[in-house]
Amino acid sequence: MDLKNTNTYGNGLIYAGWNQDQGCFACGMENGFRVYNADPLKEKERQDFTEGGIGHLEMLFRCNYLALVGGGRLPKYPSTKVMVWDDLKKKHVIELEFPTQVLAVKLRRDRLQT
């Protein structure tokens, strides 16, 4: 759910979305991203970036891979790139560039769709 135009709380939240089994949700922020377990509600991962925000992200079930797209006032990555983040290595491991802005990303175990 894209929240950049509707969030009036000033908390830096840009995007929120569930993983495939709705057991976790992830939030794109003006300064990084957060991953939460749904039941019980608990922050599982927090990645802060000093150099930009994440406007869209997609989890692959509960594994360590996330697809990130830059967003917010100062995007971490261009909106034409999808960066696959490995949370174990704490860095992006795959970079996919597209000729136009990436509006959505969906992950499956065998495929990435933009």
Side-chain angles (χ1 to χ4, degrees):
M1 172 177 12
D2 186 356
L3 301 169
K4 67 179 166 257
N5 296 325
T6 59
N7 184 0
T8 59
Y9 297 103
N11 56 12
L13 183 63
I14 301 171
Y15 177 85
W18 294 92
N19 71 340
Q20 289 86 347
D21 65 4
Q22 284 78 44
C24 294
F25 64 95
C27 300
M29 311 290 289
E30 286 284 352
N31 63 342
F33 65 88
R34 315 284 185 272
V35 176
Y36 296 91
N37 191 61
D39 188 26
L41 182 60
K42 181 180 179 184
E43 184 178 83
K44 300 296 281 180
E45 178 59 33
R46 178 186 193 114
Q47 188 66 50
D48 291 318
F49 301 129
T50 58
E51 64 276 358
I54 301 298
H56 187 88
L57 70 153
E58 181 76 15
M59 298 175 62
L60 179 59
F61 292 93
R62 289 180 179 257
C63 82
N64 55 306
Y65 292 113
L66 297 105
L68 308 176
V69 180
R73 290 179 301 230
L74 181 64
K76 167 79 172 156
Y77 306 113
S79 63
T80 58
K81 288 187 179 183
V82 174
M83 310 301 273
V84 177
W85 180 269
D86 185 338
D87 199 50
L88 293 177
K89 295 180 180 178
K90 303 292 186 204
K91 65 178 186 174
H92 69 269
V93 292
I94 300 171
E95 179 179 322
L96 303 168
E97 188 167 6
F98 298 92
T100 60
Q101 180 180 4
V102 176
L103 301 176
V105 178
K106 295 295 178 191
L107 296 176
R108 293 182 1 181
R109 294 189 197 278
D110 63 341
R111 183 176 301 196
L112 178 137
Q113 183 173 342
T114 60

